[in-house]
Amino acid sequence: MMIEALIAVALIGALVTFVAPNRIAGKLAFGISLIPAALSLWMFAVFDGSGNALLDGDLAFESQMEWIQLGEYSISWLVGLDGISLPLVVLTTVLTSLAIMSSWTPIDERESQFYGLVLFIEANLIGVFAALDFFVWFIFWEAVLIPMYLLIGIWGGPRRKYAAIKFFVYTNVASLVMFGAFIALIFGLDVGSFALPEIADAMLDGGPDGFAGISGSALASIAFVALFLGFAVKVPVVPFHTWLPDAHVEAPTPASVLLAGVLLKMGTYALLRFNFTMFPEEVAAFAIPIAAIAAISVIYGAMLALAQTDLKRIVAYSSVSSMGYVILGLVAYTQFGVGGATFQMVSHGLISGLMFMAVGVIYNATHTRIVSDMSGMADKMPVAVGILIAGAFGYMGLPLMSGFAAEYFIFFGAFGSEVLEYAPVFTAIAMFGIVIVAGYLLFAMQRTLFGPYRLETDYEVSRAPLHDIAPMFVLLGLIIALGVAPELIFEMITDAVDPILELGGDA
Amino acid sequence: MVAFELPQWTALAPALLLALTALVLFVFDSINPRSTNRPVVAGIATVGSLASLAVAVWFIVVGVGDPDRGGVIDVFGGQFVVDQMALFFMVVVSVVTALVAVASYDYMRDHAYQAEYYSLIVLAATGMATMSAANSLVTIFIALELASLPSYALVAILKNNRGSVEAGLKYFLIGALSSAIMVYGISLIYGATGHLQLEAIADNLDAAEEFGGILGLGILMLIGGFAFKTASVPFHFWAPEAYEGAPAPVSAFLSSASKAAGFVIAFRVFTEAFPLAETTAVIGVDWTLAFIILAVVTMTVGNFAAATQENVKRMLAYSSVGHAGYALIGLAGLGAGSELVLGAAMMHLLVYGFMNTGAFLFVALAEYWGVGRTFEDYNGLSVQAPIACVALAIFMFSLAGIPPFGGFWSKYFLFVGALEAGLFIVAAALVVNSALSLYYYSRLVKAVWIEEPVLERESLAQPTGLYAAIVVAAVMTVVLLPGFGPVVDVAIDAAATMLG
């Protein structure tokens, strides 16, 4: 019942916070969010699952309850964690607590509603990573949209209405495509249940029969492509990435932190669970186009970042390239590739969260994010600037930081891929992204942080308060911890990844 | 079981309790004419409808009308039946009646005719509950008129408001016309088969062989009558006018309960009296074809019209036309003989009873505040009334069919039902229309939550009754998701009995 407890605490906390008075809402929400954070860390410590959740693995904290019997189909409440989902659940709970603390300064209107929505998102995100019944999973998946739409739309920047609608329409249409394809697949499979492990079994045990005049193998291919498109928007990969910079730039800092830190991982997590676990044959068939999309996302995202003048946009576009690495790791279909991709999900969550927080702190003080307006911030805000630089180093993949480990695993895994033809070529192209990333980050840092101070503003630019800095230190600590000792989570990840690779890759 | 030791007619208790409530209100009004003692009249109406709800739920739970536990109860020589479907729709009607009665407490505050208003509501509800159980074309027609006549008066009850009176008149004229069409259709069916009781019609379809054309025409006219009551195309034109002009709680009542009651008759008549194969043999046309066309056209027309509205109440009115189209899938899918699709339509009407009533009650709240009628007028309401606006967001997203709300379930079941019945075009139309509907539903959410108010408002009052009704409807819209298991069982069982 641990997972139910996590979700329930966040949901009830959301309700309580929503009706609490504005002046205590921030502290109250932070206090409440510490409960799931502490619980999930405890779950991490006592984790005893093994294998992959969809492939007859032993789940930790599993619980199952019959829910609805609909004709021949049964829907059940089925949740549990394996080595892939547990790190993401911990990432969610920890990042939520930190994001709440980092909102105390920038959020100064309708606080109770803001924090209520943040806790509501947390509950749904935990649900997405823990649910193992398609229906339960889809409900959580879609329910994330509503609070994020409101967070961007109400507390966002000047173009918030446009960004909120664009985010909502893009991701909702993608979900419909994915949903329709998956339902058609289940009709073709004849499983009688929406439980993902059973669906995965049926998929690997011969795949779907035909449905509505479409042959079984065609149905599987169509479902694979539709699922890929549905998740690709969420990730996002080029060319479905255009909602992301708008949403990021307009979103308030804490929403950006959750958006980049956790929401994008929903896409790659779902890709791993659905496309890369249930369709090994289609992965092999579509490996080259997917790898091409991954490489393009890396390079194009980095080039777009290079062209930006807004610090937050730079960080936002760099997410496109980082998530491109994840796709590359997945399609490599090796232990280091898929494991590294999962590791990168966690690592990017921490690093991008850190970067958005740091940019947010500087913005709070200067009220600008335009690179050319700023200069010499290092003198005014030494601690925040130090953290921003550390985050940038993490992004570039400096050794002893989690970004290095993640990218190393992915490239190592991708080079040796047997599923992907021309793997070294794709890997080499993607690796060139690192150079561009280092280029634009160093360039941006150099211009904003160093040199003489010349910002003309009515505000007094001064050091950030402790509650703005503290969450960033926690994140930095985690980034370094994972960089020094990747096996903290990498072992449990590979334990859950290996069964996937036995299907069609090479473990 | 207790229910079977009582006389058979007590099985109609949910409807009879509503009738009794109306009589109590009349008695109160005659002892104390022109009373404006709102707590008493609203209280009587609420308690009466809740009692009806409680009895109906109790009957369902103990298995009245369940074929496995005693079977369908025939009352008055088969003129009425009490089965799971009748009880299911009595639940829908009494739930909406209770919500509307509570909400009207504030909305009708300054109105001169308190007892009359509530007794009209409860009388109309009695008619709708009777419609759920009616099993003969005569009782169906009488129940339909019992529901309609008070509705005409209710729409026009704001005597000093031109819009309300005009809407009432339009509703009455179109209603009278459609009643005439329907009763003519009934007479043709009687002429062809010689019977009015539904099973008897089915048994005597062979005899109608030589009158196939007359029977077909009669069925078509009957469909016209249902289309009017359920606000389906092409008899939907009254709906936006009537819903807009009527007091908002009455709009809620008509668009939820009255529509559900219209559907229950359609479900019963077309499953009991006109079994598909036999009827097709006689009239030469598969009648589900009419419903397939009606479903697609109704949902498309309703949604496109809703998307172009500037007035919130009209938008909801047209969207309720769209939802009639979704529920029509239940009839369109009967060709495949699947109980799933009929059950799904019943579930949709139940969920709709909460989410649509709630949405109209929010409009009632806005009218109570006097904020205006267009989307712009609603801008920024969430600052002053966050709780009601959360409820509104729940209703809107649920109407659009987005998880985690009840509307997602029922639309999903309709989708699967349509697929199982092989109606791919209908299923596709459902998905496309749902996606389109998100545009105008989210527009209202955007108005209250995201837009800045056009003009400064004073702080808004929080009328207890309206708030209570809205919050209850919102909570039920959410709770229906985890609690859907029993609802599915009841609805599918009921549908199976009908098709059995």
Side-chain angles (χ1 to χ4, degrees):
Chain A
M1 297 304 283
M2 290 305 297
I3 295 166
E4 286 85 348
L6 286 184
I7 297 173
V9 168
L11 274 184
I12 295 166
L15 276 180
V16 171
T17 312
F18 197 88
V19 294
N22 280 332
R23 74 196 144 73
I24 62 159
K27 310 277 192 296
L28 178 71
F30 180 69
I32 292 169
S33 75
L34 288 179
I35 302 172
L39 276 179
S40 65
L41 286 171
W42 175 79
M43 288 160 77
F44 185 76
V46 302
F47 175 71
D48 64 346
S50 69
N52 187 293
L54 268 54
L55 304 168
D56 300 325
D58 285 322
L59 288 171
F61 315 106
E62 181 181 7
S63 67
Q64 181 165 18
M65 201 174 65
E66 282 302 311
W67 189 5
I68 293 181
Q69 184 70 36
L70 174 75
E72 310 145 45
Y73 297 95
S74 68
I75 298 170
S76 57
W77 170 263
L78 172 59
V79 291
L81 296 174
D82 66 359
I84 294 172
S85 44
L86 180 64
L88 291 167
V89 168
V90 176
L91 174 75
T92 306
T93 56
V94 171
L95 215 51
T96 306
S97 289
L98 300 178
I100 288 174
M101 192 191 254
S102 74
S103 331
W104 290 351
T105 308
I107 301 301
D108 52 7
E109 52 166 358
R110 302 166 85 176
E111 287 94 338
S112 56
Q113 295 163 20
F114 179 87
Y115 293 106
L117 287 172
V118 170
L119 287 174
F120 184 59
I121 288 197
E122 179 184 26
N124 289 308
L125 287 170
I126 297 170
V128 167
F129 295 127
L132 289 168
D133 182 280
F134 177 73
F135 243 98
V136 179
W137 175 85
F138 186 75
I139 287 167
F140 285 124
W141 172 272
E142 283 287 277
V144 168
L145 294 184
I146 297 165
M148 192 43 99
Y149 167 70
L150 293 173
L151 282 180
I152 298 173
I154 299 175
W155 290 272
R159 288 171 69 244
R160 60 182 191 275
K161 290 169 200 164
Y162 170 76
I165 291 279
K166 190 169 176 182
F167 164 77
F168 199 82
V169 169
Y170 250 76
T171 50
N172 190 50
V173 168
S175 298
L176 276 182
V177 170
M178 175 267 290
F179 182 77
F182 201 75
I183 294 296
L185 184 71
I186 290 178
F187 267 71
L189 275 175
D190 199 23
V191 276
S193 160
F194 286 100
L196 291 178
E198 283 182 40
I199 296 169
D201 261 358
M203 279 304 295
L204 300 169
D205 186 28
D209 302 329
F211 173 66
I214 303 169
S215 76
S217 61
L219 182 61
S221 296
I222 293 171
F224 180 84
V225 173
L227 286 169
F228 186 85
L229 290 177
F231 300 139
V233 171
K234 201 83 150 196
V235 172
V237 298
V238 177
F240 307 111
H241 65 287
T242 60
W243 65 267
L244 179 92
D246 285 312
H248 264 315
V249 172
E250 300 306 322
T253 301
S256 297
V257 170
L258 286 178
L259 193 59
V262 192
L263 256 71
L264 306 186
K265 277 73 200 174
M266 288 166 61
T268 47
Y269 171 80
L271 276 174
L272 175 55
R273 281 279 192 239
F274 289 83
N275 289 56
F276 289 88
T277 303
M278 297 182 188
F279 299 83
E281 289 171 20
E282 279 73 21
V283 170
F286 289 98
I288 289 185
I290 295 174
I293 289 174
I296 292 170
S297 292
V298 169
I299 300 294
Y300 188 66
M303 305 265 270
L304 285 172
L306 193 60
Q308 302 304 317
T309 54
D310 178 326
L311 204 50
K312 202 170 178 185
R313 258 179 193 274
I314 294 178
V315 182
Y317 275 111
S318 68
S319 290
V320 177
S321 42
S322 294
M323 298 316 280
Y325 291 135
V326 178
I327 308 283
L328 181 71
L330 290 176
V331 78
Y333 235 46
T334 56
Q335 187 189 39
F336 275 99
V338 181
T342 312
F343 192 89
Q344 166 82 335
M345 293 183 209
V346 179
S347 161
H348 178 258
L350 299 171
I351 298 176
S352 65
L354 177 68
M355 290 291 275
F356 277 115
M357 281 183 196
V359 172
V361 166
I362 292 177
Y363 176 73
N364 290 339
T366 61
H367 293 253
T368 182
R369 292 187 305 247
I370 304 303
V371 171
S372 54
D373 290 354
M374 285 188 275
S375 175
M377 294 307 302
D379 290 341
K380 291 282 180 182
M381 313 182 77
V383 182
V385 162
I387 290 173
L388 183 65
I389 294 173
F393 283 149
Y395 244 126
M396 291 175 224
L398 205 71
L400 295 186
M401 298 181 91
S402 63
F404 173 75
E407 285 167 20
Y408 175 77
F409 291 149
I410 289 172
F411 294 139
F412 184 76
F415 256 124
S417 171
E418 289 177 11
V419 173
L420 176 63
E421 280 182 84
Y422 314 113
V425 179
F426 286 114
T427 315
I429 295 172
M431 281 176 85
F432 186 66
I434 296 184
V435 181
I436 312 178
V437 172
Y440 67 73
L441 282 175
L442 287 174
F443 195 44
M445 297 297 123
Q446 199 267 332
R447 283 190 296 168
T448 48
L449 307 181
F450 307 112
Y453 179 78
R454 59 179 168 83
L455 189 65
E456 286 173 16
T457 158
D458 302 335
Y459 310 99
E460 194 194 348
V461 175
S462 59
R463 292 183 176 213
L466 181 65
H467 60 77
D468 280 357
I469 299 292
M472 299 196 281
F473 270 111
V474 177
L475 281 177
L476 196 56
L478 291 171
I479 292 166
I480 293 172
L482 286 184
V484 175
E487 69 273 14
L488 277 177
I489 62 170
F490 195 64
E491 276 174 12
M492 66 168 66
I493 291 173
T494 48
D495 181 44
V497 161
D498 285 342
I500 302 176
L501 303 171
E502 284 161 19
L503 305 171
D506 44 335
Chain B
M1 239 170 295
V2 183
F4 293 104
E5 293 159 11
L6 297 169
Q8 292 268 302
W9 57 265
T10 49
L12 280 174
L16 296 175
L17 276 170
L18 287 171
L20 185 68
T21 310
L23 293 179
V24 171
L25 281 166
F26 281 138
V27 171
F28 176 80
D29 193 43
S30 48
I31 294 171
N32 196 353
R34 299 263 178 278
S35 166
T36 50
N37 191 342
R38 294 185 299 131
V40 172
V41 285
I44 293 173
T46 312
V47 169
S49 42
L50 286 178
S52 163
L53 172 66
V55 173
V57 170
W58 175 52
F59 278 4
I60 290 180
V61 172
V62 300
V64 174
D66 185 344
D68 301 334
R69 289 194 268 176
V72 175
I73 300 175
D74 281 328
V75 188
F76 303 133
Q79 295 297 301
F80 290 98
V81 287
V82 179
D83 57 8
Q84 294 268 298
M85 187 162 88
L87 292 170
F88 187 91
F89 278 93
M90 286 176 188
V91 168
V92 177
V93 169
S94 51
V95 159
V96 175
T97 311
L99 287 174
V100 168
V102 172
S104 302
Y105 175 77
D106 298 304
Y107 190 89
M108 300 304 284
R109 189 181 41 182
D110 301 324
H111 201 259
Y113 304 99
Q114 294 291 334
E116 287 84 347
Y117 173 80
Y118 285 102
S119 48
L120 284 172
I121 291 265
V122 178
L123 263 186
T126 311
M128 295 168 194
T130 320
M131 281 157 89
S132 327
N135 193 37
S136 137
L137 291 179
V138 173
T139 43
I140 284 175
F141 186 71
I142 293 171
L144 193 84
E145 290 301 304
L146 177 57
S148 294
L149 291 172
S151 305
Y152 304 143
L154 280 171
V155 170
I157 200 158
L158 302 177
K159 289 203 306 187
N160 300 322
N161 178 323
R162 279 187 63 125
S164 175
V165 174
E166 191 184 321
L169 184 63
K170 279 183 185 162
Y171 187 28
F172 174 65
L173 288 176
I174 301 178
L177 178 69
S178 78
S179 288
I181 293 175
M182 186 167 172
V183 85
Y184 190 48
I186 290 175
S187 71
L188 291 179
I189 292 169
Y190 179 73
T193 62
H195 289 273
L196 288 168
Q197 209 259 356
L198 300 185
E199 287 87 4
I201 294 177
D203 293 340
N204 290 285
L205 278 177
D206 307 343
E209 204 83 61
E210 52 190 310
F211 307 114
I214 290 180
L215 183 65
L217 194 61
I219 292 175
L220 200 63
M221 289 181 144
L222 209 51
I223 292 179
F226 301 138
F228 163 73
K229 204 67 208 161
T230 57
S232 307
V233 174
F235 291 95
H236 68 288
F237 290 105
W238 62 273
E241 307 292 333
Y243 294 170
E244 191 195 356
V250 173
S251 315
F253 185 58
L254 292 183
S255 66
S256 307
S258 165
K259 180 166 291 186
F263 271 109
V264 65
I265 322 186
F267 292 164
R268 196 181 294 284
V269 167
F270 283 93
T271 51
E272 296 281 338
F274 303 110
L276 197 56
E278 291 87 334
T279 315
T280 310
V282 176
I283 62 174
V285 188
D286 178 351
W287 54 255
T288 55
L289 187 66
F291 286 108
I292 292 172
I293 298 169
L294 270 188
V296 174
V297 174
T298 303
M299 66 176 93
T300 311
V301 167
N303 275 301
F304 273 94
T308 56
Q309 301 302 318
E310 281 306 317
N311 177 314
V312 174
K313 217 168 165 187
R314 279 186 90 82
M315 180 277 278
L316 285 176
Y318 276 111
S319 96
S320 102
V321 174
H323 279 271
Y326 302 144
L328 279 171
I329 295 177
L331 284 164
L334 283 182
S338 137
E339 61 238 31
L340 184 62
V341 67
L342 186 58
M346 290 167 59
M347 285 180 253
H348 189 66
L349 289 166
L350 174 67
V351 178
Y352 189 70
F354 288 106
M355 60 190 181
N356 184 64
T357 309
F360 270 109
L361 291 184
F362 185 89
V363 174
L365 187 61
E367 287 181 1
Y368 176 87
W369 287 328
V371 296
R373 291 169 161 262
T374 64
F375 283 95
E376 277 78 36
D377 294 327
Y378 281 58
N379 282 358
L381 275 179
S382 68
V383 178
Q384 280 121 325
I387 306 267
C389 289
V390 169
L392 179 73
I394 291 174
F395 300 138
M396 290 298 117
F397 286 123
S398 181
L399 283 165
I402 293 197
F405 305 115
F408 165 68
W409 270 144
S410 55
K411 275 197 188 174
Y412 167 73
F413 291 147
L414 278 170
F415 176 68
V416 173
L419 282 186
E420 278 212 339
L423 302 173
F424 297 110
I425 294 177
V426 178
L430 171 67
V431 172
V432 171
N433 274 299
S434 289
L436 174 71
S437 71
L438 185 59
Y439 161 73
Y440 57 82
Y441 287 130
S442 69
R443 199 174 155 203
L444 189 52
V445 176
K446 183 164 152 255
V448 297
W449 279 100
I450 294 179
E451 302 285 350
E452 305 289 333
V454 179
L455 40 128
E456 290 297 309
R457 290 188 202 97
E458 306 284 306
S459 69
L460 300 170
Q462 301 203 344
T464 328
L466 269 167
Y467 255 77
I470 289 174
V471 168
V472 168
V475 168
M476 286 308 296
T477 307
V478 176
V479 169
L480 272 177
L481 181 77
F484 222 71
V487 177
V488 174
D489 293 342
V490 172
I492 301 268
D493 283 354
T497 318
M498 297 304 300
L499 297 169

